[in-house]
Amino acid sequence: MDSDSLFRRASKLFPGGVNSPVRFYSPRPIYFSRSTGTRLFDVSGKEYLDFSMGFGAVFGGYANSDILDLAMDAFANPVPEGVVSENEIILGELIHGAVPSVEMMRFTNSGTEATMHAIRLARAYTGRNIIVKMNGGFHGAHDYALIGAGSGAATFGTPTSPGIPDEVSRTVLVGEFNHRDSIEEIFSKHGRDIAAVIVEPIMGNMGVIKPEDGFLKFLREITEKYGSLLIFDEVITGFRFRYGAYQDMVNVRPDITTMGKIIGGGMPVGLFGGREEIMKNISPSGKVYQSGTFSANPYTMATGIAALKYLRTIDYEATIRLAKWVEEKLKPYAEAGIRVNRAYNMFTPFFNTQEVKDYSSAKNSDSGRFMKFFSELLRYGIYLSPGQFETSFIGPAHTPEEVEMAAFKMVYALENELNESGHKEE
Ligand SMILES: Cc1ncc(COP(=O)(O)O)c(C=O)c1O
C-alpha cells in the first residue's frame, strides 16, 4: 500500500480525493495509518513529528491514555444516543466553570454548526440581519460565514464559494482585522442593522495574526454602542493557552462564544454559548431552532470530560516556551523573508518580507515557497499544517527534544533553500 495508489482510489470517490479541502496538497497528500503522542506513521511506515495535531483538535496528543481510558469506557458501557444523560451536564459545568461568559450553552458536532447557530441566534435576538466578519476570518463552511473579501471594507461581502445566494451574502459585511477605521466605517453606515460581529480573537485561519492592543476591546465597545452582539469564535483558541478561553486573558467578555476542537478530546464537537438572556431563546425554551441527532453524543461527552480533566493537570506555560523557541530559532531568517508569527503556543512561518499583521499583509506571503518548505520538512519527517494560511500547534505532548529537533530541521531546510536560490549572497 502506498499513498499514490490510495490517492488514485480516493480520487474516484471523493472530490479532489479528500473529505475536506485543506487536507489536499500537491502532488497528493500522504496517507497515514497510525498515530501516537505527537507521532504520525504513514502507510509505508515512515514516522513524522506532527505540528498540525488534527488542525489543532488533538491538543493532548494521540492515544493520550488520560483521555483514552475514559473514552474506551464510554464505548464499552455506552450511555444511549439521542437521550439526555448526566455527562452532558458534567461537561457543561466544566465549561461554564472555566469560561464564565458561557452561562448557558448548546453542544453541536462541529465548529461550523456552532457558528451557524450562534449567528442565527444573534439575528433572532437583535431582530437585525447584518453580520460583520473579518476579511480572511474563517468560521466554518456554511452560507452565513463563507463570505470573504468584499471590494472594500464597507461594501457588502462577496461569497467565497459559488452557490451562496446573493440574498445571504448581502447580509454579511467584511471588515479588516486590526483596522478600527474599517469597522467604524461599517458601523457608521449600517450600525443599527448589525446583529453581530463575529471574530476569531486571534486569527488562526490566515495563519496566526494577533489582535493589536485594544482591538478586541474596541470591538466590544462599538458593538455595545450600537446594540449589536459580539461573538468570539474560540474554536481554535478555547482551552489552548490556559484552562479556559482567550477572552479572559484579554478581559473582553463577548455575548456569545463558539468553541470546538480541543473540548471534544479528539471526537467531533462544537459548542455555542453565552448570556442566559440570549441563550434561552433557543428551542424549546425559545423560538430559535437548533437540533442535532448527535448533539452532545455520549462518546464526545465522555472524551470531552476526560480532555478537560486532563487539561487541568498540564503545564500550559511549557507549551508556550517551546513555541517561543521555534520563533527564536527562525528569527535570524526574517531578512531572507521568513517570519514566524506566534501567539502563545501556535505559530505560522510566513514567507513574507513584511511584518504580517492583517489580511492584506498575510495575502502577500509566498505560498509557493511555504509549500516547498512544507514538502522539504515532510522529507525530514516533520508535519506542519499544510498551507501558508494555516496554523501549527504545540501541545503538552511535545517534548523539548522534539521541538529542538524540529527547529533544527526547519533551519536546515531554510539554509538549503537559501543556498540553492543564492538568496544569502544577495
Ligand atoms: C475559528 C474556526 N471556527 C470554526 C471552524 C469550523 O470548525 P469545524 O471544522 O469543526 O466545523 C474552524 C475550523 O477550523 C475554525 O478554525
Side-chain angles (χ1 to χ4, degrees), residues 57-58 67 71 91 95 107-108 239 259-270 299-308 311:
V58 192
I67 299 174
L91 185 57
I95 287 170
F107 287 110
T108 62
F239 288 90
M259 283 191 269
K261 298 199 192 262
I262 288 181
I263 61 165
M267 294 289 279
V269 76
Y299 308 106
T300 300
M301 295 302 102
T303 50
I305 293 167
L308 261 60
L311 292 178

Side-chain angles (χ1 to χ4, degrees), residues 55 109-113 115 138-141 200 205 233-236 258 261 269:
F55 287 98
N109 288 291
S110 66
T112 296
E113 275 179 80
T115 62
F138 181 72
H139 307 287
E200 299 171 70
N205 285 289
D233 183 352
E234 298 226 35
V235 165
I236 290 181
T258 54
K261 298 199 192 262
V269 76

Side-chain angles (χ1 to χ4, degrees), residues 92-319:
E93 284 172 346
L94 287 172
I95 287 170
H96 169 62
V99 188
S101 77
V102 177
E103 295 168 2
M104 291 186 95
M105 70 201 84
R106 268 280 162 89
F107 287 110
T108 62
N109 288 291
S110 66
T112 296
E113 275 179 80
T115 62
M116 180 180 78
H117 291 303
I119 288 172
R120 182 183 300 147
L121 175 60
R123 285 177 167 150
Y125 177 77
T126 57
R128 302 170 177 185
N129 277 340
I130 291 178
I131 296 295
V132 177
K133 71 175 285 291
M134 303 298 142
N135 212 353
F138 181 72
H139 307 287
H142 56 80
D143 287 6
Y144 298 167
L146 209 56
I147 313 289
S151 52
T155 56
F156 285 98
T158 50
T160 302
S161 164
I164 297 176
D166 289 346
E167 291 76 6
V168 175
S169 52
R170 275 202 295 269
T171 63
V172 180
L173 294 167
V174 182
E176 297 294 333
F177 190 72
N178 277 341
H179 289 261
R180 293 176 193 215
D181 49 351
S182 92
I183 309 295
E184 271 161 358
E185 194 184 336
I186 289 174
F187 269 91
S188 71
K189 288 189 183 148
H190 306 281
R192 299 288 163 205
D193 297 319
I194 294 173
V197 171
I198 184 167
V199 63
E200 299 171 70
I202 295 177
M203 293 295 242
N205 285 289
M206 51 189 192
V208 174
I209 299 181
K210 287 201 283 196
E212 282 175 1
D213 274 355
F215 181 70
L216 298 173
K217 279 206 168 72
F218 155 76
L219 290 180
R220 178 66 284 179
E221 282 160 16
I222 199 161
T223 44
E224 261 169 13
K225 180 173 163 199
Y226 284 89
S228 316
L229 301 186
L230 180 61
I231 305 172
F232 272 2
D233 183 352
E234 298 226 35
V235 165
I236 290 181
T237 54
F239 288 90
R240 189 165 304 281
F241 320 127
R242 62 186 285 270
Y243 184 81
Y246 177 62
Q247 55 195 255
D248 292 307
M249 295 171 82
V250 284
N251 225 352
V252 178
R253 195 178 172 109
D255 302 291
I256 302 177
T257 298
T258 54
M259 283 191 269
K261 298 199 192 262
I262 288 181
I263 61 165
M267 294 289 279
V269 76
L271 171 151
F272 67 104
R275 269 167 41 209
E276 180 184 346
E277 181 207 350
I278 300 170
M279 287 301 294
K280 69 183 187 209
N281 289 287
I282 294 286
S283 174
S285 57
K287 289 186 177 159
V288 183
Y289 200 68
Q290 182 275 334
S291 71
T293 300
F294 291 108
S295 289
N297 76 77
Y299 308 106
T300 300
M301 295 302 102
T303 50
I305 293 167
L308 261 60
K309 285 188 173 158
Y310 163 74
L311 292 178
R312 272 215 182 119
T313 68
I314 67 161
D315 180 1
Y316 275 101
E317 287 305 316
T319 67

Side-chain angles (χ1 to χ4, degrees), residues 58-92:
V58 192
F59 188 54
Y62 298 95
N64 177 320
S65 57
D66 289 315
I67 299 174
L68 207 58
D69 291 350
L70 278 159
M72 295 307 277
D73 185 57
F75 279 96
N77 303 296
V79 171
E81 290 270 12
V83 296
V84 289
S85 70
E86 190 185 2
N87 273 357
E88 65 200 53
I89 303 172
I90 296 173
L91 185 57

Side-chain angles (χ1 to χ4, degrees), residues 5 16 19 32 36 43 98 214 218 238 251 281 390 395 420:
S5 61
N19 279 288
F32 294 98
T36 177
V43 286
F218 155 76
N251 225 352
N281 289 287
E390 300 295 342
E420 263 172 38

